[in-house]
């Protein structure tokens, strides 16, 4: 079994400030980890993924995330946010076998001017 | 680019009606999924399919069925719609890495927002 906990349901931040969206997971097997972004009235699109190798992964739009196996975390960060980053962000985990993904409840990032 | 197309962006149906949500992907992906998205609950897996004519229940299959007659098409069916099925429905597809594992990376459609009155 696998599960994902996104620790913050809403994160308000001012433009150009740094942001961190927190994600913890649990799984009985090795995992693949993902962050997806959903803009209003759209589907989800992949922001970044960890499959193997370097624990620091970079994604689109200046986002990055660090896989921490000992803490079972995969936090998403951006050093300076823009108004256009306002969206809902989902952390997801899939097991090494089977390919089904389990999603967190989502974090709404609101960037204020 | 992978394109996943959901036939209807917005639907309004009456309680008891039969509802079909269609999803087509154009990248020859083996795996297709239907999720339901509700505020504060994230995405919950309804059904998925790893091959034509094959289906497996996800976490919340009650009240739903699916059909996969062709590789590119995966349909979600609500036999008798109820008000608690008012939701956003998201279709997704995935494929194993070339010569490698099935990582679960998903490609999503734009979503179908269903309102049942």
């Amino acid at each position: 079994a696998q599960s994902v906990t996104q620790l913050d349901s809403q994160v308000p931040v001012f433009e150009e400030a740094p942001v961190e969206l927190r994600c913890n997971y649990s799984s009985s097997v090795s995992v693949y980890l993902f962050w997806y972004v959903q803009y209003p009235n759209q589907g989800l699109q992949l922001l970044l993924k960890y499959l193997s190798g370097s624990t620091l992964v970079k994604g689109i739009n200046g986002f990055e995330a660090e896989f921490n196996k000992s803490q079972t975390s995969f936090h998403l960060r951006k050093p300076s946010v823009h108004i256009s980053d306002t969206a809902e962000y989902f952390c997801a985990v899939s097991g090494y076998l089977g390919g089904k993904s389990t999603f967190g409840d989502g974090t709404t990032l609101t960037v204020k001017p | 680019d992978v394109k996943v197309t959901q036939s209807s962006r917005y639907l309004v149906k009456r309680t008891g009606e039969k509802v079909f949500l269609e999803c087509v992907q154009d990248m020859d992906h083996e795996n297709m999924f239907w999720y339901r998205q509700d505020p504060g609950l994230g995405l919950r897996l309804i059904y998925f399919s790893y091959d034509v004519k094959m289906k497996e229940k996800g976490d919340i299959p009650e009240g739903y069925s699916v059909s996969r007659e062709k590789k590119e098409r995966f349909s979600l069916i609500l036999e008798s719609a109820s008000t608690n099925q008012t939701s956003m429905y998201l279709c997704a597809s995935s494929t194993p890495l070339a010569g490698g594992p099935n990582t679960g990376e998903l490609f999503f459609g734009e979503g179908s927002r269903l309102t049942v009155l």
Side-chain angles (χ1 to χ4, degrees), chain A residues 13-109:
Chain A
V13 64
F14 286 105
E15 194 174 18
E16 298 184 5
V19 70
E20 178 179 79
L21 307 184
R22 298 178 295 166
C23 172
N24 288 346
Y25 71 92
S26 68
S27 176
S28 55
V29 298
S30 298
V31 298
Y32 304 115
L33 293 157
F34 307 87
W35 276 98
Y36 294 88
V37 59
Q38 183 181 34
Y39 299 105
N41 298 315
Q42 295 186 23
L44 280 70
Q45 63 183 84
L46 183 70
L47 202 55
L48 49 77
K49 60 188 175 187
Y50 171 79
L51 303 182
S52 65
S54 173
T55 57
L56 183 64
V57 293
K58 295 187 183 297
I60 61 172
N61 301 339
F63 284 93
E64 63 181 33
E66 185 154 19
F67 170 55
N68 188 319
K69 188 174 182 180
S70 62
Q71 297 188 5
T72 61
S73 67
F74 191 54
H75 300 332
L76 181 70
R77 301 185 182 99
K78 186 170 182 178
S80 176
V81 294
H82 303 290
I83 298 288
S84 58
D85 292 323
T86 294
E88 189 154 22
Y89 292 80
F90 291 94
C91 182
V93 61
S94 71
Y96 187 68
L97 300 174
K100 286 189 297 177
S101 291
T102 299
F103 286 80
D105 291 345
T107 297
T108 301
L109 174 65

